Amino acid sequence: MVGDGLSPEAQYDSRGGGRQALEAGNPRKVEPHAGSRLKSSRIHRAPAVPLEPAGRALVRPCVFIRRCAVHALLILFLLLAGLVSGHLLAATGPTPDLQAERGQPEAPQIGFKQVEPGTRLRLGILAYKGAEAALGEWEPLQTYLSEALPQYRLEFFYGDLTALRTAVSNGELEFVLTNPGQYVELEAEHGVGRIATLEQGQLAASNIAVGAAVVALRERHDMQSLDDLRGRVLAATQEDAFGGFQTVWWELDQRGMDPSSDLQAVLFTGFPMQTVLQAVDSGHADAGVVRACLIERRPDWLERYKVLSGIFHPELGCTVSTRLYPNWPIASLRDTPAIMARDVAIALLRMDAPTHGLSWNVPADYQVIHDVFRELQIGPYAYLRSTTLRGLLRTYWPLGMLALLGLFFWGLYTARSEYLVRTRTAALEQALKDRQEAEQRMRANQEQADHLARLSVLGELSSTLAHELSQPLAGVNNYAQSLLRRLDNGRLTEDAVREAAQNIVLLSESAAGVLKRIKGFARKRSGVREWVVMRTLVDDTVALYRGMQRHTPDIDIVDCLEFGRKLQVDGLQIQQVLLNLLKNAQDAMRHTPRGQQRIRILLEEQPGWVWLHVQDFGPGMTPEAQERLFEPFYTSKADGLGLGLSICKGIVEAHGGQLLGRRAANAPHPECGPDAPGMIFSLSLPYHEHNTKTVDISGG
């Protein structure tokens, strides 16, 4: 019984936790578990390294000295324990010989009064050949411990590597008997401590008892050594099986071969170990890993199989492909009572192979297992993989590939986004440029339309304009003729000349003012918004209007604004709107007697707005005409163009306001009742607080 399984094996169902026998079946390809160093990849050849002599490569002077010191301390501990137990037996009663002489029953061989009878003792054993084989192989140990430790109620637990690890983690055992590889892992993870090491056959040293054989079919002439495994499929039980895989892994590593890259694949069949041979027989694998001495138990193995890189060990009577390692230890868990561990250790050390079929020795030195794990960076040394670049690449290469793919697609997305941004930016810039050009054309057309509207107003007022200019010119002529007549008659005095000259100056200034206002109104220019006092703008517009008309109705101005209220507007455009409203108001009263014609202008303020209302006292408009009031080319005048109010509405809306028209009877003003005559046109303009000088817009 050498190798990974000196114990039968049972596997546990994860759903129920009960024990069930492992059935041999078709091998299955198992992907490496998370954190594993084994991954499927292509093969890279490397030069072969010759196999070292068995049992020498990993034995070092410091290891030998440490091993001797440990053995000496354990022997001293056992001697002291024997002396203490002898004193206890002497203190508690007579010796077995005296008891026999007195007819008293013999006391148990091992025991302490501190242990209550019937105390449960649970021992977990690694099983690798199935439940039935495990029960048969370990029956001598079970029988012996039951007789040697009658004060305990023994329970044996058979399971594979995963089942044993779970049972130890859950605290379901007091002792565990497993291969040296799993023992080192449990020692690091759960603090188990070995109390004895299994001694095999006729071998005196228990530190060379675990090994593995890599077998292939006899007819495979292309398979002679471990170097021939390159590019092949290798079958094994589990990745964490020490004798079933990890020992071979280390041998391959010493030859410069990595199972994850230099082998075609590693096929993990699971337990029992016979499934590895089934995978080789069926051709699913080119070679398989089994524990040492297992293949020799088959009568026809020499005709059917061969061991790759095999070395025969006479003391074992077996051929192996790997070095030999310390045998299986039995270890107590961290919470196991010390007296129970001492009882079991003493009982095991008293076993002998001729009588009981098994023998045990003091715990061996398992430093060589640590060396293997450290070089392979597995088990307790798996953290070393993350400290090297090769380990990082080996562990996280899928994430690296995903990151590279992500960066690649991110680069494509960024390039496409940049292209779209540039394309759309160019399109937006072109659209903005086209819009600006369209706005410039629209402003030019608007200015042209405003200019034409002003000229149209001037055309309508040209007859009255001639009359207004004729009066001051006639006065100037009269004063000049008077001066000439006085000069001819010799009656020209200094006072007469002064009086005539003063009147001529007044009349010429009046005519010049009329021309100046008309010139400023008719001048074509771009719109400029400036801060103006609203009342001054209205007064100047009324003065301009009166200068253009022969007979103007009475114009009343009601100012409810804050004194000096200023607005930022294009004064000339607002003046044009107000002139148009005044002209329309006068035309609406053309059938009203001249003495009854009157126009009312109301200036009022609401939060954020200034309202200017122009009311006439004519007959008003019909509802049908009011609906079409601001339509272009609609007019109720025989000689009108129908553009005045439409242009005025556009000017007011361009200033952010609105222009409304309704009958005075429907207006919300207190002075307008249900019987109020005429129409009211209202325009609103926004205002803002400011400190600006008043702009005089009456100049040319």
Side-chain angles (χ1 to χ4, degrees), residues 26 49 93 264 313 323 392 432 448 457 522 570 634 647 678 680:
N26 293 329
V49 179
Q264 178 181 347
H313 289 272
R323 296 156 179 78
L392 290 175
L432 182 60
Q448 183 69 19
V457 173
D570 187 333
Y634 172 76
I647 293 175
I680 291 182

Side-chain angles (χ1 to χ4, degrees), residues 2 49-59 207-213 226 242-243 247-255 292 309 311 313 316 320-326 368-369 372:
V2 180
V49 179
L51 184 64
E52 297 180 10
R56 296 182 182 178
L58 300 178
V59 178
N207 61 336
I208 50 172
V210 173
L226 295 180
F242 183 73
T247 55
V248 176
W249 183 359
W250 189 85
E251 296 292 339
L252 296 177
D253 185 74
Q254 297 303 302
R255 286 169 166 77
S309 298
I311 298 177
H313 289 272
L316 293 178
V320 297
S321 303
T322 66
R323 296 156 179 78
L324 296 180
Y325 299 90
V368 65
I369 312 299
V372 171

Side-chain angles (χ1 to χ4, degrees), residues 23-292:
E23 299 179 358
N26 293 329
R28 53 186 177 88
K29 187 172 183 179
V30 182
E31 295 294 335
H33 59 76
S36 169
R37 289 187 53 191
L38 294 180
K39 298 177 179 64
S40 299
S41 61
R42 300 299 299 170
I43 300 158
H44 304 281
R45 294 186 176 273
V49 179
L51 184 64
E52 297 180 10
R56 296 182 182 178
L58 300 178
V59 178
R60 302 171 183 173
C62 60
V63 175
F64 178 78
I65 295 174
R66 248 194 326 266
R67 184 182 304 151
C68 294
V70 171
H71 288 180
L73 290 176
L74 287 174
I75 293 174
L76 180 60
F77 170 78
L78 292 176
L79 290 176
L80 292 176
L83 291 176
V84 172
S85 61
H87 284 293
L88 290 175
L89 290 174
T92 53
T95 64
D97 294 337
L98 293 177
Q99 288 179 341
E101 292 177 0
R102 298 175 184 177
Q104 298 178 356
E106 185 177 352
Q109 296 178 355
I110 303 296
F112 297 89
K113 287 189 175 181
Q114 291 88 338
V115 177
E116 297 181 2
T119 301
R120 185 171 60 176
L121 189 156
R122 296 168 295 183
L123 172 61
I125 302 177
L126 175 62
Y128 63 94
K129 291 191 300 182
E132 296 298 330
L135 291 173
E137 187 164 4
W138 292 104
E139 183 179 2
L141 176 64
Q142 184 173 351
T143 302
Y144 171 77
L145 291 179
S146 299
E147 296 175 354
L149 303 172
Q151 69 273 31
Y152 295 104
R153 179 166 53 89
L154 272 66
E155 296 180 5
F156 283 71
F157 174 88
Y158 299 97
D160 59 8
L161 296 172
T162 303
L164 283 184
R165 180 178 288 106
T166 302
V168 171
S169 301
N170 297 336
E172 299 173 355
L173 302 174
E174 280 73 40
F175 298 91
V176 59
L177 175 59
T178 183
N179 66 44
Q182 188 180 37
Y183 161 73
V184 170
E185 294 182 3
L186 296 178
E187 181 184 36
E189 295 175 5
H190 303 286
V192 303
R194 59 189 182 276
I195 60 175
T197 297
L198 185 65
E199 191 174 48
Q200 286 301 320
Q202 304 300 321
L203 203 60
S206 63
N207 61 336
I208 50 172
V210 173
V214 180
V215 299
L217 295 177
R218 176 68 65 178
E219 61 268 17
R220 292 293 299 270
H221 301 291
D222 56 336
M223 305 283 292
Q224 299 297 331
S225 67
L226 295 180
D227 297 308
D228 297 328
L229 291 176
R230 293 181 184 273
R232 311 291 185 178
V233 178
L234 179 66
T237 53
Q238 288 185 199
E239 184 181 352
D240 54 353
F242 183 73
F245 177 68
Q246 292 172 344
T247 55
V248 176
W249 183 359
W250 189 85
E251 296 292 339
L252 296 177
D253 185 74
Q254 297 303 302
R255 286 169 166 77
M257 297 171 59
D258 188 348
S260 62
S261 59
D262 294 323
L263 302 185
Q264 178 181 347
V266 178
L267 184 65
F268 293 112
T269 63
F271 290 102
M273 193 168 286
Q274 288 83 348
T275 57
V276 174
L277 297 177
Q278 294 174 5
V280 175
D281 292 338
S282 62
H284 289 91
D286 298 292
V289 181
V290 296
R291 69 177 182 84

Side-chain angles (χ1 to χ4, degrees), residues 409-643:
F409 287 111
W410 178 80
L412 290 180
Y413 173 77
T414 303
R416 183 175 181 275
S417 300
E418 184 68 19
Y419 170 76
L420 293 177
V421 168
R422 291 179 181 273
T423 303
R424 293 174 182 176
T425 301
L428 289 175
E429 290 177 350
Q430 184 62 37
L432 182 60
K433 182 179 179 181
D434 296 341
R435 178 180 177 181
Q436 291 174 349
E437 293 176 354
E439 289 178 350
Q440 291 177 357
R441 292 193 298 269
M442 183 179 66
R443 284 195 296 268
N445 295 335
Q446 183 67 35
E447 292 173 1
Q448 183 69 19
D450 295 345
H451 180 62
L452 293 176
R454 290 193 292 272
L455 294 180
S456 175
V457 173
L458 289 177
E460 295 178 7
L461 301 177
S462 59
S463 59
T464 57
L465 177 62
H467 173 72
E468 291 295 328
L469 291 177
S470 65
Q471 289 182 354
L473 291 177
V476 170
N477 183 57
N478 289 335
Y479 282 111
Q481 292 293 335
S482 175
L483 289 175
L484 290 175
R485 285 194 299 269
R486 284 176 180 270
L487 182 61
D488 292 339
N489 295 332
R491 293 185 295 110
L492 185 62
T493 64
E494 183 180 353
D495 293 337
V497 172
R498 183 181 298 279
E499 181 181 358
Q502 289 178 350
N503 289 328
I504 289 173
V505 170
L506 291 176
L507 290 173
S508 63
E509 287 180 352
S510 176
V514 172
L515 292 176
K516 185 178 182 180
R517 287 190 295 271
I518 294 175
K519 179 182 177 182
F521 179 72
R523 182 179 59 190
K524 182 179 180 181
R525 64 178 180 84
S526 300
V528 178
R529 295 190 182 185
E530 299 174 307
W531 292 103
V532 298
V533 178
M534 196 62 185
R535 177 57 187 268
T536 303
L537 177 63
V538 172
D539 291 340
D540 291 343
T541 305
V542 171
L544 177 61
Y545 180 72
R546 284 173 175 168
M548 294 179 177
Q549 295 283 50
R550 177 182 301 176
H551 302 290
T552 58
D554 295 335
I555 299 178
D556 299 331
I557 301 177
V558 180
D559 186 5
C560 299
L561 297 177
E562 178 185 351
F563 179 76
R565 168 62 66 190
K566 297 179 181 180
L567 300 179
Q568 189 178 24
V569 296
D570 187 333
L572 189 60
Q573 290 184 344
I574 300 301
Q575 194 175 61
Q576 176 185 344
V577 173
L578 187 53
L579 282 173
N580 194 289
L581 295 179
L582 293 174
K583 181 66 172 57
N584 289 342
Q586 184 175 355
D587 291 342
M589 297 184 294
R590 59 183 176 271
H591 300 298
T592 303
R594 185 174 299 173
Q596 299 179 9
Q597 293 182 3
R598 183 164 60 95
I599 298 176
R600 183 171 180 268
I601 299 176
L602 172 62
L603 294 169
E604 65 175 355
E605 184 175 342
Q606 295 182 5
W609 299 91
V610 169
W611 284 87
L612 189 152
H613 308 279
V614 179
Q615 178 184 2
D616 65 73
F617 290 85
M621 300 179 67
T622 62
E624 293 77 10
Q626 292 183 41
E627 292 179 357
R628 307 183 59 188
L629 192 58
F630 298 102
E631 290 184 9
F633 304 108
Y634 172 76
T635 179
S636 59
K637 303 177 185 178
D639 55 349
L641 297 177
L643 294 174

